[in-house]
Short mmCIF file of all heavy atoms in Angstrom, two decimals:
data_model
loop_
_atom_site.label_atom_id
_atom_site.label_comp_id
_atom_site.label_asym_id
_atom_site.label_seq_id
_atom_site.Cartn_x
_atom_site.Cartn_y
_atom_site.Cartn_z
N ILE A 274 151.63 -32.73 103.08
CA ILE A 274 150.42 -32.38 102.32
C ILE A 274 150.14 -30.89 102.44
O ILE A 274 149.85 -30.22 101.45
CB ILE A 274 149.22 -33.21 102.83
CG1 ILE A 274 149.38 -34.68 102.42
CG2 ILE A 274 147.90 -32.66 102.28
CD1 ILE A 274 148.35 -35.61 103.03
N VAL A 275 150.25 -30.34 103.64
CA VAL A 275 149.99 -28.91 103.84
C VAL A 275 151.05 -28.07 103.13
O VAL A 275 150.73 -27.06 102.49
CB VAL A 275 149.96 -28.58 105.35
CG1 VAL A 275 149.85 -27.08 105.57
CG2 VAL A 275 148.77 -29.28 106.01
N THR A 276 152.31 -28.49 103.21
CA THR A 276 153.38 -27.75 102.52
C THR A 276 153.15 -27.73 101.02
O THR A 276 153.27 -26.68 100.36
CB THR A 276 154.74 -28.39 102.83
OG1 THR A 276 154.99 -28.31 104.24
CG2 THR A 276 155.86 -27.69 102.08
N LEU A 277 152.81 -28.87 100.46
CA LEU A 277 152.58 -28.94 99.01
C LEU A 277 151.33 -28.17 98.62
O LEU A 277 151.30 -27.53 97.56
CB LEU A 277 152.46 -30.41 98.59
CG LEU A 277 152.36 -30.68 97.09
CD1 LEU A 277 153.55 -30.08 96.35
CD2 LEU A 277 152.27 -32.17 96.82
N ALA A 278 150.28 -28.22 99.44
CA ALA A 278 149.05 -27.47 99.15
C ALA A 278 149.33 -25.97 99.07
O ALA A 278 148.81 -25.27 98.20
CB ALA A 278 147.99 -27.77 100.21
N SER A 279 150.15 -25.47 99.97
CA SER A 279 150.50 -24.04 99.95
C SER A 279 151.28 -23.69 98.69
O SER A 279 151.09 -22.62 98.11
CB SER A 279 151.33 -23.69 101.19
OG SER A 279 150.62 -23.97 102.38
N ALA A 280 152.14 -24.59 98.24
CA ALA A 280 152.93 -24.33 97.03
C ALA A 280 152.07 -24.38 95.77
O ALA A 280 152.41 -23.76 94.76
CB ALA A 280 154.07 -25.35 96.93
N LEU A 281 150.96 -25.11 95.81
CA LEU A 281 150.07 -25.24 94.65
C LEU A 281 149.05 -24.11 94.56
O LEU A 281 148.32 -24.01 93.57
CB LEU A 281 149.32 -26.58 94.70
CG LEU A 281 150.16 -27.83 94.45
CD1 LEU A 281 149.33 -29.07 94.78
CD2 LEU A 281 150.64 -27.88 93.01
N ALA A 282 148.98 -23.26 95.57
CA ALA A 282 147.97 -22.20 95.61
C ALA A 282 147.96 -21.29 94.38
O ALA A 282 146.88 -20.91 93.91
CB ALA A 282 148.15 -21.37 96.88
N PRO A 283 149.12 -20.90 93.80
CA PRO A 283 149.09 -20.00 92.63
C PRO A 283 148.26 -20.53 91.46
O PRO A 283 147.70 -19.76 90.70
CB PRO A 283 150.57 -19.87 92.25
CG PRO A 283 151.31 -20.13 93.51
CD PRO A 283 150.50 -21.15 94.24
N ILE A 284 148.16 -21.85 91.32
CA ILE A 284 147.40 -22.43 90.21
C ILE A 284 145.93 -22.05 90.31
O ILE A 284 145.25 -21.84 89.30
CB ILE A 284 147.57 -23.96 90.20
CG1 ILE A 284 149.02 -24.34 89.94
CG2 ILE A 284 146.67 -24.61 89.16
CD1 ILE A 284 149.27 -25.83 89.98
N TYR A 285 145.42 -21.94 91.53
CA TYR A 285 144.00 -21.64 91.73
C TYR A 285 143.76 -20.16 92.00
O TYR A 285 142.65 -19.67 91.78
CB TYR A 285 143.45 -22.48 92.88
CG TYR A 285 143.35 -23.95 92.49
CD1 TYR A 285 144.35 -24.84 92.84
CD2 TYR A 285 142.29 -24.40 91.73
CE1 TYR A 285 144.27 -26.16 92.47
CE2 TYR A 285 142.21 -25.73 91.34
CZ TYR A 285 143.20 -26.60 91.71
OH TYR A 285 143.13 -27.92 91.33
N LEU A 286 144.75 -19.44 92.48
CA LEU A 286 144.58 -18.00 92.68
C LEU A 286 144.55 -17.27 91.34
O LEU A 286 143.90 -16.23 91.21
CB LEU A 286 145.72 -17.47 93.55
CG LEU A 286 145.74 -17.96 95.00
CD1 LEU A 286 146.98 -17.45 95.72
CD2 LEU A 286 144.47 -17.52 95.73
N ASP A 287 145.25 -17.80 90.35
CA ASP A 287 145.28 -17.22 89.01
C ASP A 287 144.95 -18.32 88.02
O ASP A 287 145.75 -19.23 87.79
CB ASP A 287 146.67 -16.63 88.73
CG ASP A 287 146.75 -15.98 87.35
OD1 ASP A 287 145.72 -15.93 86.64
OD2 ASP A 287 147.85 -15.53 86.98
#
Side-chain angles (χ1 to χ4, degrees):
I274 290 172
V275 173
T276 298
L277 186 57
S279 301
L281 290 170
I284 296 177
Y285 290 97
L286 293 175
D287 181 4

